[in-house]
Amino acid sequence: MERNIFSILTILSVTLLLILSLSFSTYSPTDRRLLVLLDDLSLKSSHSIFFNSIKSRGFDLDFKLANDPKLALQRNGQYLYDGLILFSLSIERFGGALDLALASGCGVDFDEADVEFMMH
């Protein structure tokens, strides 16, 4: 009897492990909404091979200009995107409240006027 219970528990554990490993597969991600911030919308076409390869993996890309004043990562306490791709090397400040959102999410504090940022 004790051996049967052990066998059943072993089979259930292996099955659960298999299900969990498949649910976290890199080939079928569950978080598929990506915000792509661009310096210029022409980057969308000049880097189309890269973006199409991401789309072919099942991701939904939302392209926006990095200095758009309406940029937001959250609305009503919910994240709008699951990931962020930055193609905005020449932007000094992001639009909307993105500077503070990115800084707080990455452990950066803005302190004094002459200090750009501090990493923790």
Side-chain angles (χ1 to χ4, degrees), residues 106-120:
C106 298
V108 177
D109 288 333
F110 293 96
D111 192 26
E112 301 171 17
D114 295 335
V115 177
E116 290 289 324
F117 64 87
M118 294 188 299
M119 297 291 290
H120 293 281

Side-chain angles (χ1 to χ4, degrees), residues 21-32 53-59:
S21 67
L22 290 175
S23 67
F24 294 107
S25 171
T26 57
Y27 297 106
S28 59
T30 56
D31 303 329
R32 299 181 179 275
S53 73
I54 294 173
K55 285 181 185 178
S56 71
R57 294 181 182 130
F59 289 95

Side-chain angles (χ1 to χ4, degrees), residues 28-81:
S28 59
T30 56
D31 303 329
R32 299 181 179 275
R33 299 169 300 169
L34 299 177
L35 174 62
V36 181
L37 296 180
L38 306 169
D39 281 339
D40 185 345
L41 289 177
S42 65
L43 287 169
K44 186 177 175 180
S45 61
S46 66
H47 290 74
S48 62
I49 294 173
F50 172 73
F51 293 129
N52 287 333
S53 73
I54 294 173
K55 285 181 185 178
S56 71
R57 294 181 182 130
F59 289 95
D60 298 321
L61 302 180
D62 188 7
F63 294 92
K64 296 195 182 217
L65 290 174
N67 58 0
D68 183 348
K70 297 178 184 174
L71 279 178
L73 295 177
Q74 293 184 21
R75 184 174 295 131
N76 299 325
Q78 298 291 321
Y79 284 103
L80 301 173
Y81 303 98

